[in-house]
Structures are given as C-alpha cells and as structure tokens.
Amino acid sequence: MEKFGTLTVKAGLAEMFKGGVIMDVTTVEQAKIAEDAGAVSVMSLERVPADIRAQGGVARMTDPAIIEKIMDAVTIPVMAKVRIGHFVEAQILEALGVDYIDESEVLTPADERFHINKWKFKVPFVCGAINLGEALRRIGEGAAMIRTKGEAGTGNVVEAVRHMRTIHDEIAKLAALPEEELMTEAKNHGAPYELVRIVARDRKLPVVNFSAGGIATPADAAMMMQLGAEGVFVGSGIFKSKNPAKMAAAIVKAVTHFDNPEIVAEVSKGIGEAMPGLEIQKIGKDGLLQFRGN
Amino acid sequence: MKIGVLALQGDFREHIRILKKLGAEAVEVRLPAELKGLDGLIIPGGESTTINKMMRAYGFPEEVKKFARKGSPVFGTCAGLIVLAGKIDDHKSGQLNLIDVDVKRNAYGRQVDSREADVTLDFAGTKPYRAVFIRAPQIRKAGAGVKSLARYEGKTVLARQKNILICSFHPELTEDTRIHQYFLDMIPKKA
C-alpha cells in the first residue's frame, strides 16, 4: 500500500522546485548564504564549474563529510553531483540521504559510453541535455528531472539559450506531426518511442525542465524563464560574483517575477559585478563540457 | 468562482490545472494587489523557506491575513501548510498563524523517505485517496477548533479550521479531484 521512490515522488520533488533557483555551493557557509537568499535547493560540489574549468584535473563527487555538514546546516533539499556513469558515487550519495543526484557533465565522466541506470535508485536524478533526444534518453534511463546544459562555468548564457530553444523547437515540431511519423522521429532523435509519443501528445517533457550553464545575472535568469525554463540552476554565477548574497537574492526575485520587467529592473540595481564571462569560441570544442555524455 | 494560486514558487500550475478541471477560474498571484476580487486562495507546495521569504519581500503576510479574516477560504498544501500554521518546529511562529496547529517540517525524513500511501477522506466515502507525501511536514498538535479530515499513521494529514484548509501531502499531483472540490465547496455562495 505504501510505496517509496516511485516516479511520482521523484518527479514530484522537482515539481516543488519549480519557479525556484538551485545554487551551486562548495561549503557550509555558502549553503547558508544560498538558503538565506531564498534558494529552493543547494547543489554540493567540490569546486564550482569556473574553477574546474580554470584548474583542470579530474573533478569528482564532493567529500561525503562536507555533504553531510551541508545537509545538517540547511533545511532546504540538498543535491550533489556524480560523474556520468559513476554508479558507486551515486550509491554513496543515496546512502548519505542526499535529496537529488545530478549526474553531471561538469564532473569528469567515469563512463564514456553509458549513463547510470537511474531506475535502480530510490533517490531521484536530474541530468543535463542539449536537445530533445538527449533529454528523452536520460528520462528513459530513469531521470526524474532535466536541466538544459548550457556551458557551465562560463558566465555566458548563449549556450543555455541555444539548448532551451532547441528543445522547445523540437517539441513543437513533434506535436505538429501525424502519428505515423513518430516512430521515424524517435529514430532520428535517438529517443524511446513511448516517450516521443508522450511528448507529442502533451507538448512538453514528461518531467520538469530547468535551465543551467552560464546564468550570471537576474536578467539572464528571467530570460531563461521567459524562454520556457521551469526554474534555473546557477553555478559559478553566485559565488564568483562580487557580492554573492545580493546576487543570489536578486536572481531569486527575478525568477519569481520573470515576466515583470519593473521588478527585474529593480532587483538588478546595485548588486555588484557579475562573474567574469568567457567567450564560447575561445574555449575550443575540446574544452566544452556540453558534449560529455549524450 | 475565481481562485488565486500563490505563484511565488512551487507547483502552482498543478493546482490551476485541477481547479480548471473542476470548472473554476484560476489565476496566478505574484503580488498582493492581485488578491483583489478572489473568492479563495491556494498556497501551493514548494519550498516553504523560499515562499515565506518571497511573501515577506512583497508584503503578502498582512494582506493574506486580511483576506482570510474576511472569511475567504485559504488552502495550503505541504509548504502552504507550513506558511499557514501557528507554530513550526516547536519554537518558531508560523508566517501567517491562521490555523491552530503545531507543525514539524520534513518530519517523515528526507527525499528517500518520500512516499505514496492510501488515506481515507472523512467527507468523501470509503474510496481510498492516493496521497503523495514529498519531504512532508507533520501536524504534531492541533487546537480544539481544528477538525481532522484524514489521517496517516495515526497523524492528521488533512484538517480544517473554519475557512482555513491544510494538507501535508500533494492533492495537486494526482488526478483525484475530491479535495479540491471540498475546498471549492467551502466558498460561501453568493446571494
């Protein structure tokens, strides 16, 4: 009669995040700043993406001792990242009682061919996607939430915009097709047929979709919401800005009032410098995180 | 009949979907001025810390209290229950203090303890209601004026005090409309 870890409760927690901001944190102090600013959840990782990009080396799951301290310090849900395909890091996070796992391209992949079988876990997973096919493959593997990847650690929203628009365009095209064309479309997208049918019928992904990867200002966040994101992840954008507490609070308000330009203007005033940004062309294809896993 | 759903954060669209299914007009409320002309208000599931903060930032607490004092029904689910409660986690006063209950946040555990379970609704026959509990709060104590309408593991999970309705699970995440119908029936009939 009682059931734990069902898709309803996994995807249901993502429903509760909607209209909210999930912030990357590396320490207990940062987690508290994020919670005070109104974050709906914090994402624990060992280095923010901008530092991973700058310093290089293998990026792994955070030290469980730090994750536990963050879980004790805040009442909002705590997420943590695992490497793509690293199912033992995921087992560890589930054992710790983390509320959501991000199988993330921001960390160094552990498996270049396969993602984690997420159906085997009671804890829900969020995964990144740059297009509809990738989103549906992850959902097929058991992801209960999707985030468009953007390009993490750049403070440049251009890839986030590209990925959100791509997914919405692809959904709109599917919805317009006659039923007999859906199998071929499933093949073209490399996506499970049943999920393609559901998307064509509902005109939306079957799980919540947030935007991530490059959001650095309240205006960026509000734009992603207007483009159809159901909420945003902000990684380096908070703690690489001049005044993290102010920037965090401003982005939270901009996400709630995304379609009210007066309020977005008001919260954008005097919040200090945003994180320094990177041009995508200067990174070079090998340096892009968005093509990891697919 | 026009119902507002507080849309600062959380699953407000799911409430709107069910209200529309029941034939009610439903609108998103992001600023206190938008409470005007509403027959009822729903405070949805979401993160209570975030919703509380955003309510204070735009002057909602006093306005929602005024709205409730006029007798207009207010319904809070999960985070919404926490916003409406009298006392939180044994010490803090609730944001709105509109219903005489003591609430413990995340009382059923973390996300891995989130669950679906059947409960019986006192007002809607014997057919079980599939309740979805997500990092749910628990009603630890309730004053004499609070009527329990459903229980799970011996604790009240759906309760009413006059025009205030609270629920520790998420009726907006299911297709069963009985609880939203009950809320709509709380709205005084216009003469």
Coordinates of all heavy atoms in Angstrom, one line a residue, chain A residues 168-252:
Chain A
H168 N 12.6 23.3 -27.1 CA 11.2 23.7 -27.3 C 10.8 23.7 -28.8 O 9.7 23.3 -29.1 CB 11.0 25.1 -26.7 CG 10.9 25.1 -25.3 ND1 9.7 24.6 -24.6 CD2 11.7 25.4 -24.3 CE1 9.9 24.6 -23.3 NE2 11.1 25.1 -23.1
D169 N 11.8 24.0 -29.7 CA 11.5 23.8 -31.1 C 11.2 22.4 -31.5 O 10.3 22.1 -32.3 CB 12.7 24.3 -32.0 CG 12.9 25.8 -31.9 OD1 12.0 26.5 -31.4 OD2 13.9 26.3 -32.5
E170 N 12.0 21.5 -31.0 CA 11.9 20.1 -31.3 C 10.5 19.5 -30.8 O 9.9 18.7 -31.4 CB 13.0 19.3 -30.8 CG 14.3 19.6 -31.6 CD 15.6 19.0 -31.0 OE1 15.6 18.7 -29.7 OE2 16.6 18.8 -31.7
I171 N 10.1 20.0 -29.6 CA 8.8 19.6 -29.1 C 7.7 20.1 -29.9 O 6.8 19.4 -30.3 CB 8.7 20.1 -27.6 CG1 9.6 19.3 -26.7 CG2 7.2 19.9 -27.1 CD1 9.6 19.8 -25.2
A172 N 7.8 21.4 -30.3 CA 6.8 22.0 -31.2 C 6.6 21.2 -32.5 O 5.5 21.0 -33.0 CB 7.1 23.5 -31.4
K173 N 7.8 20.8 -33.1 CA 7.7 20.1 -34.3 C 7.1 18.7 -34.2 O 6.2 18.3 -35.0 CB 9.1 19.9 -34.9 CG 9.6 21.2 -35.6 CD 11.0 21.1 -36.2 CE 11.5 22.4 -36.5 NZ 12.9 22.6 -36.4
L174 N 7.4 18.0 -33.1 CA 6.8 16.7 -32.8 C 5.3 16.8 -32.7 O 4.6 16.0 -33.2 CB 7.4 16.1 -31.5 CG 8.6 15.3 -31.4 CD1 8.7 14.6 -30.0 CD2 8.6 14.2 -32.5
A175 N 4.9 17.8 -32.0 CA 3.5 18.0 -31.7 C 2.7 18.2 -32.9 O 1.5 17.9 -33.0 CB 3.3 19.1 -30.7
A176 N 3.3 18.7 -34.0 CA 2.6 19.0 -35.2 C 2.6 17.8 -36.2 O 1.9 17.9 -37.2 CB 3.3 20.2 -35.9
L177 N 3.3 16.7 -35.9 CA 3.4 15.6 -36.8 C 2.2 14.7 -36.7 O 1.7 14.4 -35.6 CB 4.7 14.8 -36.5 CG 6.0 15.6 -36.9 CD1 7.2 14.7 -36.4 CD2 6.1 15.9 -38.3
P178 N 1.8 14.0 -37.8 CA 0.9 12.9 -37.7 C 1.5 11.7 -37.0 O 2.7 11.6 -37.1 CB 0.6 12.6 -39.2 CG 1.7 13.2 -40.0 CD 2.3 14.3 -39.2
E179 N 0.6 11.0 -36.4 CA 1.1 9.9 -35.5 C 2.0 8.9 -36.2 O 3.0 8.4 -35.6 CB -0.1 9.1 -34.9 CG 0.1 8.6 -33.6 CD -1.0 7.8 -33.0 OE1 -2.2 8.0 -33.5 OE2 -0.8 7.1 -32.0
E180 N 1.8 8.6 -37.5 CA 2.6 7.6 -38.2 C 4.0 8.1 -38.4 O 4.9 7.2 -38.7 CB 1.9 7.2 -39.5 CG 1.8 8.3 -40.6 CD 0.5 9.1 -40.5 OE1 -0.1 9.1 -39.4 OE2 0.1 9.8 -41.5
E181 N 4.3 9.3 -38.2 CA 5.7 9.8 -38.4 C 6.5 9.7 -37.1 O 7.7 10.0 -37.1 CB 5.7 11.2 -39.0 CG 5.0 11.3 -40.3 CD 5.2 12.7 -41.0 OE1 6.0 13.5 -40.5 OE2 4.5 12.9 -42.0
L182 N 5.9 9.4 -36.0 CA 6.6 9.5 -34.7 C 7.6 8.4 -34.6 O 8.7 8.7 -33.9 CB 5.6 9.4 -33.6 CG 4.6 10.6 -33.5 CD1 3.6 10.5 -32.3 CD2 5.4 11.9 -33.4
M183 N 7.5 7.2 -35.1 CA 8.5 6.2 -35.0 C 9.8 6.7 -35.7 O 10.9 6.5 -35.1 CB 8.0 4.9 -35.5 CG 9.0 3.8 -35.4 SD 9.5 3.4 -33.7 CE 8.2 2.2 -33.2
T184 N 9.7 7.2 -36.9 CA 10.8 7.7 -37.6 C 11.5 8.9 -36.8 O 12.7 9.0 -36.7 CB 10.4 8.1 -39.0 OG1 9.9 7.0 -39.7 CG2 11.6 8.7 -39.8
E185 N 10.6 9.7 -36.2 CA 11.2 10.8 -35.4 C 11.9 10.3 -34.2 O 13.0 10.8 -33.8 CB 10.1 11.8 -35.0 CG 9.7 12.8 -36.0 CD 11.0 13.6 -36.5 OE1 11.5 14.4 -35.7 OE2 11.4 13.4 -37.7
A186 N 11.4 9.2 -33.6 CA 12.0 8.6 -32.4 C 13.4 8.1 -32.9 O 14.4 8.3 -32.2 CB 11.2 7.5 -31.9
K187 N 13.5 7.5 -34.1 CA 14.8 7.1 -34.6 C 15.7 8.3 -34.8 O 16.9 8.2 -34.4 CB 14.6 6.3 -35.9 CG 15.8 5.7 -36.5 CD 15.6 5.0 -37.8 CE 15.4 6.1 -38.9 NZ 15.1 5.6 -40.3
N188 N 15.2 9.3 -35.4 CA 16.0 10.5 -35.7 C 16.6 11.1 -34.4 O 17.7 11.6 -34.4 CB 15.2 11.5 -36.5 CG 14.9 11.1 -37.9 OD1 15.5 10.1 -38.4 ND2 13.9 11.7 -38.5
H189 N 15.8 11.2 -33.4 CA 16.2 11.8 -32.1 C 17.0 10.8 -31.3 O 17.6 11.2 -30.3 CB 15.0 12.2 -31.3 CG 14.4 13.5 -31.8 ND1 15.0 14.7 -31.8 CD2 13.2 13.7 -32.4 CE1 14.2 15.6 -32.3 NE2 13.1 15.1 -32.7
G190 N 17.0 9.5 -31.7 CA 17.6 8.5 -30.8 C 16.9 8.4 -29.5 O 17.6 8.3 -28.4
A191 N 15.6 8.5 -29.5 CA 14.8 8.6 -28.3 C 13.8 7.5 -28.2 O 13.4 7.0 -29.2 CB 14.1 10.0 -28.2
P192 N 13.5 7.0 -27.0 CA 12.5 6.0 -26.8 C 11.1 6.4 -27.4 O 10.6 7.5 -27.2 CB 12.3 5.8 -25.3 CG 13.6 6.4 -24.7 CD 14.0 7.5 -25.7
Y193 N 10.5 5.5 -28.2 CA 9.3 5.8 -28.9 C 8.2 6.2 -28.0 O 7.4 7.1 -28.3 CB 8.9 4.5 -29.7 CG 7.6 4.6 -30.5 CD1 7.4 5.6 -31.4 CD2 6.6 3.7 -30.2 CE1 6.1 5.7 -32.1 CE2 5.3 3.8 -30.9 CZ 5.1 4.8 -31.8 OH 3.9 4.9 -32.4
E194 N 8.0 5.4 -26.9 CA 6.9 5.7 -26.0 C 7.0 7.2 -25.4 O 6.0 7.9 -25.3 CB 6.9 4.7 -24.8 CG 6.3 3.4 -25.2 CD 4.9 3.5 -25.9 OE1 4.1 4.3 -25.5 OE2 4.8 2.8 -26.9
L195 N 8.2 7.6 -25.2 CA 8.4 9.0 -24.6 C 8.2 10.0 -25.7 O 7.6 11.1 -25.5 CB 9.8 9.1 -24.0 CG 10.1 8.3 -22.8 CD1 11.5 8.5 -22.3 CD2 9.1 8.8 -21.7
V196 N 8.6 9.7 -27.0 CA 8.3 10.6 -28.1 C 6.8 10.8 -28.2 O 6.3 11.9 -28.4 CB 8.9 10.0 -29.4 CG1 8.4 10.8 -30.6 CG2 10.4 10.2 -29.3
R197 N 6.0 9.7 -28.1 CA 4.6 9.8 -28.2 C 4.0 10.7 -27.1 O 3.1 11.5 -27.3 CB 3.9 8.4 -28.1 CG 4.0 7.6 -29.4 CD 3.6 6.1 -29.1 NE 2.2 6.1 -28.6 CZ 1.2 5.7 -29.3 NH1 1.3 5.4 -30.6 NH2 0.0 5.7 -28.8
I198 N 4.5 10.5 -25.9 CA 4.0 11.3 -24.8 C 4.3 12.8 -25.0 O 3.4 13.7 -24.7 CB 4.7 10.8 -23.4 CG1 4.1 9.4 -23.1 CG2 4.4 11.8 -22.3 CD1 4.8 8.7 -21.9
V199 N 5.5 13.1 -25.5 CA 5.9 14.5 -25.7 C 5.0 15.1 -26.8 O 4.5 16.2 -26.7 CB 7.4 14.6 -26.1 CG1 7.7 16.0 -26.6 CG2 8.2 14.2 -24.9
A200 N 4.7 14.3 -27.9 CA 3.9 14.8 -29.0 C 2.5 15.1 -28.5 O 1.9 16.1 -28.9 CB 3.9 13.8 -30.1
R201 N 2.0 14.3 -27.6 CA 0.6 14.4 -27.0 C 0.6 15.6 -26.1 O -0.3 16.5 -26.1 CB 0.2 13.1 -26.3 CG -1.2 13.2 -25.7 CD -1.4 12.0 -24.7 NE -0.6 12.2 -23.5 CZ -0.3 11.2 -22.7 NH1 -0.8 10.0 -22.9 NH2 0.4 11.5 -21.6
D202 N 1.5 15.7 -25.1 CA 1.5 16.7 -24.0 C 2.1 18.0 -24.4 O 2.0 19.0 -23.7 CB 2.1 16.2 -22.8 CG 1.4 14.9 -22.2 OD1 0.3 14.7 -22.7 OD2 2.0 14.3 -21.4
R203 N 2.9 18.1 -25.5 CA 3.6 19.3 -25.9 C 4.6 19.8 -24.8 O 4.8 21.0 -24.7 CB 2.6 20.4 -26.3 CG 1.8 20.0 -27.5 CD 0.6 20.9 -27.6 NE -0.2 20.5 -28.8 CZ -0.1 21.0 -30.0 NH1 0.7 22.0 -30.3 NH2 -0.8 20.5 -31.0
K204 N 5.1 18.9 -24.0 CA 6.1 19.2 -23.0 C 6.8 18.0 -22.6 O 6.3 16.8 -22.9 CB 5.4 19.9 -21.8 CG 4.5 19.0 -21.0 CD 3.8 19.8 -19.9 CE 4.7 20.0 -18.7 NZ 5.0 18.7 -18.0
L205 N 8.0 18.1 -22.0 CA 8.7 17.0 -21.4 C 7.9 16.4 -20.3 O 7.1 17.1 -19.7 CB 10.0 17.4 -20.9 CG 11.1 17.8 -21.9 CD1 12.4 18.3 -21.1 CD2 11.5 16.7 -22.8
P206 N 8.0 15.0 -20.1 CA 7.2 14.4 -19.1 C 7.7 14.7 -17.7 O 7.1 14.3 -16.7 CB 7.3 12.9 -19.4 CG 8.5 12.8 -20.3 CD 8.7 14.1 -21.0
V207 N 8.9 15.4 -17.6 CA 9.4 15.8 -16.2 C 9.7 17.3 -16.3 O 9.8 17.9 -17.4 CB 10.6 15.0 -15.8 CG1 10.3 13.5 -15.7 CG2 11.8 15.2 -16.7
V208 N 10.0 17.9 -15.1 CA 10.3 19.3 -15.0 C 11.7 19.6 -15.7 O 12.6 18.8 -15.7 CB 10.4 19.7 -13.5 CG1 11.1 21.0 -13.4 CG2 9.0 19.6 -12.9
N209 N 11.8 20.7 -16.4 CA 13.0 21.1 -17.1 C 13.5 22.5 -16.6 O 12.8 23.5 -16.8 CB 12.7 21.1 -18.6 CG 14.0 21.5 -19.4 OD1 15.1 21.2 -19.0 ND2 13.8 22.0 -20.6
F210 N 14.6 22.5 -16.1 CA 15.3 23.7 -15.6 C 16.3 24.2 -16.6 O 16.7 23.4 -17.5 CB 16.0 23.5 -14.2 CG 15.1 23.8 -13.1 CD1 13.8 23.4 -13.0 CD2 15.6 24.5 -11.9 CE1 12.9 23.7 -11.9 CE2 14.8 24.7 -10.8 CZ 13.5 24.3 -10.8
S211 N 16.8 25.4 -16.5 CA 17.9 25.9 -17.3 C 19.2 25.9 -16.5 O 19.1 26.3 -15.3 CB 17.6 27.3 -17.9 OG 18.7 27.8 -18.5
A212 N 20.3 25.6 -17.1 CA 21.6 25.7 -16.4 C 22.7 26.1 -17.3 O 22.5 26.2 -18.5 CB 21.9 24.3 -15.8
G213 N 23.9 26.4 -16.8 CA 25.1 26.6 -17.6 C 25.3 27.9 -18.2 O 25.1 28.1 -19.4
G214 N 25.7 28.9 -17.4 CA 26.0 30.2 -17.9 C 25.2 31.4 -17.4 O 25.4 32.5 -17.8
I215 N 24.2 31.1 -16.5 CA 23.4 32.2 -16.0 C 24.1 33.0 -14.9 O 24.6 32.4 -13.9 CB 22.1 31.6 -15.4 CG1 21.3 30.9 -16.5 CG2 21.2 32.6 -14.7 CD1 20.2 29.9 -16.0
A216 N 24.3 34.3 -15.2 CA 25.2 35.1 -14.3 C 24.5 36.3 -13.7 O 25.0 37.0 -12.9 CB 26.4 35.5 -15.1
T217 N 23.3 36.7 -14.2 CA 22.6 37.9 -13.8 C 21.1 37.6 -13.6 O 20.6 36.7 -14.2 CB 22.8 39.0 -14.8 OG1 22.1 38.7 -16.0 CG2 24.2 39.3 -15.1
P218 N 20.4 38.5 -12.9 CA 19.0 38.4 -12.8 C 18.3 38.4 -14.2 O 17.3 37.7 -14.4 CB 18.5 39.6 -12.0 CG 19.7 39.9 -11.1 CD 20.9 39.6 -12.0
A219 N 18.9 39.2 -15.1 CA 18.3 39.3 -16.4 C 18.4 38.0 -17.2 O 17.5 37.6 -17.9 CB 19.0 40.4 -17.2
D220 N 19.6 37.4 -17.0 CA 19.8 36.0 -17.7 C 18.7 35.1 -17.2 O 18.1 34.3 -17.9 CB 21.2 35.4 -17.3 CG 22.4 36.1 -17.9 OD1 22.1 36.9 -18.8 OD2 23.5 35.8 -17.5
A221 N 18.5 35.1 -15.8 CA 17.6 34.1 -15.2 C 16.2 34.4 -15.7 O 15.5 33.4 -16.1 CB 17.7 34.2 -13.7
A222 N 15.8 35.6 -15.7 CA 14.4 36.0 -16.2 C 14.2 35.6 -17.7 O 13.2 35.2 -18.1 CB 14.1 37.4 -15.9
M223 N 15.3 35.8 -18.5 CA 15.2 35.5 -19.9 C 15.0 34.0 -20.0 O 14.1 33.5 -20.8 CB 16.4 35.9 -20.6 CG 16.4 35.5 -22.1 SD 17.7 36.1 -23.1 CE 19.1 35.4 -22.4
M224 N 15.7 33.2 -19.3 CA 15.6 31.7 -19.4 C 14.1 31.3 -19.0 O 13.6 30.4 -19.6 CB 16.6 31.0 -18.6 CG 18.1 31.2 -19.0 SD 18.3 31.1 -20.8 CE 17.7 29.5 -21.3
M225 N 13.6 32.0 -18.0 CA 12.2 31.7 -17.6 C 11.2 32.0 -18.7 O 10.3 31.3 -19.0 CB 11.8 32.4 -16.3 CG 12.6 32.0 -15.1 SD 12.4 30.3 -14.6 CE 10.7 30.3 -14.0
Q226 N 11.5 33.2 -19.3 CA 10.6 33.6 -20.4 C 10.7 32.6 -21.6 O 9.8 32.5 -22.4 CB 10.8 35.0 -20.9 CG 10.4 36.0 -19.8 CD 10.3 37.4 -20.4 OE1 10.0 37.6 -21.6 NE2 10.4 38.4 -19.5
L227 N 11.9 32.0 -21.8 CA 12.1 31.1 -22.9 C 11.5 29.7 -22.5 O 11.6 28.8 -23.3 CB 13.6 30.9 -23.2 CG 14.2 32.1 -23.9 CD1 15.7 31.9 -24.1 CD2 13.6 32.3 -25.3
G228 N 10.9 29.6 -21.3 CA 10.2 28.3 -21.0 C 10.9 27.4 -20.0 O 10.4 26.3 -19.7
A229 N 12.0 27.9 -19.4 CA 12.6 27.1 -18.3 C 11.6 27.1 -17.1 O 10.8 28.1 -16.9 CB 13.9 27.7 -17.8
E230 N 11.5 26.1 -16.3 CA 10.6 26.0 -15.2 C 11.3 26.4 -13.9 O 10.7 26.4 -12.8 CB 10.0 24.6 -15.1 CG 9.2 24.2 -16.3 CD 8.5 22.9 -16.2 OE1 9.2 21.9 -16.5 OE2 7.3 22.9 -15.9
G231 N 12.6 26.8 -14.0 CA 13.4 27.2 -12.9 C 14.9 27.3 -13.4 O 15.1 26.9 -14.5
V232 N 15.8 27.7 -12.5 CA 17.2 27.8 -13.0 C 18.2 27.2 -12.0 O 17.9 27.3 -10.8 CB 17.6 29.2 -13.4 CG1 16.7 29.8 -14.4 CG2 17.6 30.1 -12.1
F233 N 19.2 26.7 -12.5 CA 20.4 26.3 -11.7 C 21.4 27.5 -11.9 O 21.7 27.9 -13.1 CB 21.1 25.1 -12.3 CG 20.4 23.8 -11.9 CD1 19.3 23.3 -12.7 CD2 20.8 23.0 -10.8 CE1 18.7 22.2 -12.4 CE2 20.2 21.8 -10.5 CZ 19.1 21.4 -11.3
V234 N 22.0 28.0 -10.8 CA 23.1 29.0 -11.0 C 24.3 28.4 -10.3 O 24.3 28.0 -9.2 CB 22.7 30.3 -10.4 CG1 23.8 31.3 -10.7 CG2 21.4 30.8 -11.0
G235 N 25.3 28.2 -11.1 CA 26.6 27.5 -10.6 C 27.5 28.6 -10.1 O 27.4 29.2 -9.1
S236 N 28.5 28.9 -11.0 CA 29.5 29.8 -10.6 C 29.0 31.3 -10.4 O 29.6 32.1 -9.8 CB 30.6 29.9 -11.7 OG 30.9 28.5 -12.1
G237 N 27.8 31.5 -11.1 CA 27.2 32.9 -11.1 C 27.0 33.5 -9.8 O 27.0 34.8 -9.7
I238 N 26.8 32.8 -8.7 CA 26.6 33.4 -7.4 C 27.9 33.6 -6.7 O 28.3 34.8 -6.4 CB 25.7 32.4 -6.5 CG1 24.4 32.0 -7.2 CG2 25.5 33.1 -5.1 CD1 23.3 33.0 -7.2
F239 N 28.7 32.6 -6.5 CA 29.9 32.7 -5.7 C 31.1 33.2 -6.4 O 32.2 33.4 -5.8 CB 30.1 31.5 -4.8 CG 29.0 31.3 -3.8 CD1 28.0 30.4 -4.0 CD2 29.0 32.1 -2.6 CE1 26.9 30.3 -3.1 CE2 28.0 31.9 -1.7 CZ 26.9 31.1 -1.9
K240 N 31.0 33.4 -7.7 CA 32.1 34.1 -8.4 C 31.7 35.6 -8.7 O 32.4 36.3 -9.4 CB 32.4 33.4 -9.7 CG 33.1 32.1 -9.6 CD 34.6 32.3 -9.2 CE 35.2 31.0 -8.8 NZ 36.6 31.3 -8.2
S241 N 30.6 36.0 -8.2 CA 30.2 37.4 -8.3 C 30.8 38.2 -7.2 O 31.2 37.6 -6.2 CB 28.7 37.6 -8.4 OG 28.1 37.4 -7.1
K242 N 30.8 39.6 -7.3 CA 31.4 40.4 -6.3 C 30.6 40.3 -4.9 O 31.2 40.3 -3.9 CB 31.4 41.9 -6.7 CG 32.6 42.2 -7.6 CD 33.8 42.6 -6.8 CE 35.1 42.3 -7.5 NZ 35.2 42.4 -8.9
N243 N 29.3 40.2 -5.0 CA 28.5 40.2 -3.8 C 27.5 39.0 -3.8 O 26.3 39.2 -4.2 CB 27.8 41.5 -3.6 CG 27.2 41.6 -2.2 OD1 26.8 40.6 -1.6 ND2 27.0 42.9 -1.7
P244 N 28.0 37.8 -3.4 CA 27.1 36.6 -3.6 C 25.7 36.7 -3.0 O 24.7 36.3 -3.6 CB 28.0 35.5 -3.0 CG 29.4 36.0 -3.1 CD 29.3 37.5 -2.9
A245 N 25.6 37.3 -1.7 CA 24.3 37.3 -1.1 C 23.3 38.1 -1.8 O 22.2 37.8 -2.0 CB 24.5 37.8 0.4
K246 N 23.8 39.3 -2.3 CA 22.9 40.2 -3.0 C 22.6 39.6 -4.4 O 21.4 39.7 -4.8 CB 23.7 41.5 -3.3 CG 23.3 42.6 -2.3 CD 23.9 43.9 -2.8 CE 23.4 45.1 -2.0 NZ 24.1 46.3 -2.4
M247 N 23.6 39.1 -5.1 CA 23.3 38.5 -6.4 C 22.3 37.3 -6.3 O 21.4 37.2 -7.1 CB 24.6 38.0 -7.0 CG 24.5 37.4 -8.4 SD 23.9 38.5 -9.6 CE 25.4 39.4 -10.1
A248 N 22.5 36.5 -5.3 CA 21.6 35.3 -5.1 C 20.2 35.8 -4.8 O 19.3 35.3 -5.5 CB 22.1 34.5 -3.9
A249 N 20.0 36.7 -3.9 CA 18.7 37.2 -3.6 C 18.0 37.9 -4.9 O 16.8 37.7 -5.1 CB 18.7 38.2 -2.5
A250 N 18.8 38.6 -5.6 CA 18.3 39.2 -6.8 C 17.8 38.2 -7.9 O 16.8 38.4 -8.5 CB 19.3 40.2 -7.4
I251 N 18.6 37.2 -8.0 CA 18.3 36.2 -9.0 C 17.0 35.4 -8.6 O 16.1 35.1 -9.4 CB 19.4 35.2 -9.3 CG1 20.6 36.0 -10.0 CG2 19.0 34.0 -10.1 CD1 21.8 35.1 -10.3
V252 N 16.8 35.2 -7.3 CA 15.6 34.5 -6.8 C 14.4 35.3 -7.2 O 13.4 34.8 -7.7 CB 15.7 34.3 -5.3 CG1 14.4 33.9 -4.7 CG2 16.8 33.2 -5.0

